[in-house]
Amino acid sequence: MDLRDTLRSTGAVRGFTDDPVADHVVAAVLDDARFAPSGGNQQPWRVAVVKSPDVRAGMASLMRPVWEEYMGAQRAGKRAFAFGRSTGDAPVAAPNALLDQIQSIPVVLAVAADLTKIAIMDGNAEHRPPVVGGASIYPFCWSILLAARARGLGGVLTTFLSRAEAAAAPLLGLPQDHALVATIFLGVPTHQNTKLKRNPVESFAAIDRFDGTPLLP
C-alpha cells in the first residue's frame, strides 16, 4: 500500500474472519516492525505469540474485570483510569468480542518492554504518572499494525492486561524488569473501516505555544 493511504486508513479492527494467519506472515509483520525507532536504538521489545488456549483463556479472565470496571466508569460519564486511578463506580458486565472470542482470534501478541533499556525522562514527575518511556516501545506496536495492514490484515492494540500485570507475569513468563505494555490482536478483518474520523489539525496544533494561534492547513 501507499504509505499515506496506510497511515490514513489503519483503524482499530476488532472483528476477524476464521481465516488463519500463518506463522511466516506473523514473522514477516514483526520483521518489518522491528525497524521502528527507539531511544538509543535499544529495541527494548519482547513479543509472545500466544497460541495456547489455556494462556489465552487466562489472559481473557484477567482482562475481563478491568473491562467491566472501564465500562462502569463510562456508564457513569467518567474517563476510566485517568491518571491510572479507579473511579469507584460499580463495574458493568458487557460483551467484548476480543475477550469473548479470544480462542478464535487468529493472532494474539503480548508485547513487553525491557525497562533497563528505556530512559524514562519523566520518571521523577511528582504530579502525574510517567509516560514518555512509551516513546521507545509504542512506535514498534504501531508498526506491527501498519505492517499487518499492508498485508491485508487488521488489528487492534489494547492495554487492559497491563492493569493486571502482576497476575499476568507468571502466565506469560514476563522477564524481570520488563513491563507488559500491550496486547495486539490481528487477523483478516470482517470489515476494514477506511474512512476514519479524526479531529482537524487546527484543533490540536498551535504556533509557538499550546495556547497559541491555531496552525491552519
Side-chain angles (χ1 to χ4, degrees), residues 66 69 79-88 127-131 163:
V66 182
E69 184 179 351
R79 182 55 181 163
F81 307 125
F83 287 84
R85 302 169 188 151
S86 295
T87 64
H127 63 292
R128 61 168 177 80
V131 295
R163 190 77 174 174

Side-chain angles (χ1 to χ4, degrees), residues 19-39:
D19 296 338
V21 178
D23 283 353
H24 72 86
V25 176
V26 177
V29 166
L30 296 175
D31 191 40
D32 285 346
R34 68 190 173 95
F35 288 94
S38 59

